[in-house]
Amino acid sequence: MMKKLLFICTILTFVGVTSIFAQRKSVSGAEVTGTFINSFKGKFKDFSNEIDIKALGGGKLQISMNLVYPFEYAKGEMSVNMGEAEGKATIVGDTAIFTPEGTDTCKITIKFVKAGVIKVTEDGGENGCGFGHNVYSAGTYKKVPSKKSKLKN
């Protein structure tokens, strides 16, 4: 009885761990196409980073990023540092790799976690992606259903 219980626990643990790291075989063009927003919180809640994505077919995506880093001057005046990037990405399964045009050290990974949610990681070091001071693309973004992609083929 104890061996059977141990065996069942082992199987359940294996299934749980593999599901955490599982990659979906593919995502639909409808799921990837659209505008994704990562909103700031607190006193900067009126600011957000925006990624516009359009599926082109053949494992290619068109990407456009409008990014900000909001801050407050000593006298309470709000301002932002800005960054942007455009180009094509390659998608395999549920993960797209994007190297913005004009950069060679920047690698941005976009993982389509579930319908309407992407997780973005950035590898390029400080200023490796050419964004403004303290401007980064990394974070969790949610699809804005009311906005359609502005990108053209």
Side-chain angles (χ1 to χ4, degrees):
M1 179 69 170
M2 191 65 154
K3 285 182 182 181
K4 191 174 187 179
L5 183 60
L6 182 61
F7 177 75
I8 291 171
C9 288
T10 302
I11 294 296
L12 290 174
T13 301
F14 177 75
V15 169
V17 169
T18 55
S19 67
I20 291 170
F21 297 106
Q23 179 176 359
R24 295 187 288 165
K25 290 184 180 184
S26 67
V27 289
S28 71
E31 183 178 337
V32 302
T33 298
T35 301
F36 295 82
I37 302 287
N38 177 352
S39 298
F40 290 88
K41 306 220 182 315
K43 63 182 167 185
F44 300 117
K45 67 182 180 208
D46 293 333
F47 298 94
S48 63
N49 286 333
E50 183 175 303
I51 300 177
D52 209 24
I53 303 173
K54 182 171 184 168
L56 301 176
K60 299 288 183 199
L61 303 175
Q62 180 69 37
I63 309 281
S64 176
M65 297 182 162
N66 290 303
L67 310 168
V68 296
Y69 171 74
F71 63 94
E72 184 177 5
Y73 287 111
K75 294 181 179 181
E77 182 181 336
M78 298 284 202
S79 189
V80 294
N81 292 333
M82 298 185 295
E84 58 183 35
E86 290 187 358
K88 291 191 171 66
T90 302
I91 185 168
V92 176
D94 62 358
T95 304
I97 304 297
F98 173 55
T99 301
E101 293 173 356
T103 68
D104 55 357
T105 60
C106 180
K107 176 182 158 190
I108 297 172
T109 303
I110 303 170
K111 181 163 178 68
F112 294 86
V113 179
K114 62 182 180 178
V117 178
I118 61 174
K119 179 147 174 95
V120 178
T121 55
E122 181 180 314
D123 185 18
E126 179 136 1
N127 298 322
C129 292
F131 303 139
H133 179 67
N134 286 333
V135 178
Y136 296 98
S137 61
T140 301
Y141 292 69
K142 293 185 179 173
K143 191 172 191 178
V144 181
S146 62
K147 290 183 101 172
K148 292 196 177 199
S149 175
K150 297 173 269 185
L151 295 172
K152 297 177 182 151
N153 286 344

